[in-house]
Amino acid sequence: MQTELRQGDWRDPDAANVTTVAKAYSLLRTIMGTAVEDGLIRRNPCQIKNGGTVNTPERPTATVSDVFAIADASQPRYRALVLLGAFCALRWGELVALRRRDVDVEAGMIRRRSVSELNSGKHLYKAPKSEAGKRSVAIPRSILPVVFTHMEQFAEPGADGRVFVGAKGATPRPNHFNGLWDPGGADLSAHLGEP
């Protein structure tokens, strides 16, 4: 069996967990290497060339048209979320932590000051991990009308009002949002490069 493994590809290319197998093999090879260094074994038995590597195809990148298609397929209250996430390079936690005071539609700027993280099922709002995380981001002129409309129709009132809030008043969660693309349930997650 050892010869057979060395001669051919020892991983099943059709298996769904090829990456997991490669990572497990890499870990095992490292453990065995440590055992050799510690004098517990004479030779590392993990000798399969490139056994810990896997060829992962590059994730697709959404085009500008794809982003607008995703935004259009989303519920109206989430259209600005999609566009700001894509064109302002804001992560989920940054988007759902935005408050009215952070969004200056007149100047076309977002001043990111906090991040939302889930902890035990509840959102925690906290400062970014570093000062570099506190940054201002320009909103492209092409999406400013969408952001303006969103602020008028969907954002909570007051300077501390949340910019993105669900229909029932909750802060959106990624797992809930993924099911809200459109009434027909079109799966557009491929456009975002998600597995």
Side-chain angles (χ1 to χ4, degrees):
M1 172 132 170
Q2 188 175 17
T3 306
E4 180 182 330
L5 290 177
R6 285 185 176 167
Q7 289 178 349
D9 187 4
W10 61 282
R11 291 172 288 180
D12 179 359
D14 296 327
N17 61 354
V18 170
T19 302
T20 303
V21 171
K23 287 180 181 180
Y25 181 80
S26 181
L27 176 62
L28 179 62
R29 185 179 61 226
T30 302
I31 291 168
M32 292 299 179
T34 301
V36 170
E37 289 174 11
D38 291 347
L40 299 173
I41 57 176
R42 288 184 299 178
R43 187 173 150 291
N44 188 336
C46 299
Q47 299 294 323
I48 300 171
K49 186 177 180 180
N50 297 321
T53 60
V54 63
N55 295 325
T56 307
E58 189 173 332
R59 289 184 176 199
T61 302
T63 65
V64 172
S65 298
D66 291 338
V67 171
F68 278 104
I70 292 167
D72 291 342
S74 300
Q75 292 181 6
R77 73 172 47 251
Y78 299 116
R79 187 165 193 253
L81 184 142
V82 171
L83 295 174
L84 288 173
F87 295 124
C88 295
L90 296 174
R91 294 180 293 268
W92 181 266
E94 296 169 328
L95 287 163
V96 298
L98 288 174
R99 304 294 177 160
R100 272 190 177 270
R101 69 177 178 270
D102 300 327
V103 181
D104 185 346
V105 180
E106 297 299 321
M109 296 294 292
I110 293 176
R111 289 170 184 83
R112 190 177 91 55
R113 297 184 183 101
S114 61
V115 176
S116 170
E117 291 183 359
L118 282 177
N119 186 15
S120 302
K122 295 183 179 182
H123 281 276
L124 297 176
Y125 297 95
K126 60 184 187 177
K129 293 178 182 174
S130 68
E131 285 301 310
K134 297 176 183 178
R135 64 188 194 276
S136 293
V137 180
I139 303 171
R141 286 185 182 162
S142 60
I143 67 169
L144 271 173
V146 175
V147 175
F148 180 81
T149 301
H150 176 86
M151 298 298 283
E152 294 292 315
Q153 292 181 353
F154 301 112
E156 291 180 325
D160 239 12
R162 292 173 296 167
V163 173
F164 297 107
V165 61
K168 295 180 181 178
T171 300
R173 295 178 185 225
N175 60 340
H176 177 70
F177 178 74
N178 290 339
L180 299 176
W181 292 114
D182 69 1
D187 181 15
L188 298 173
S189 60
H191 291 293
L192 295 177
E194 295 177 6

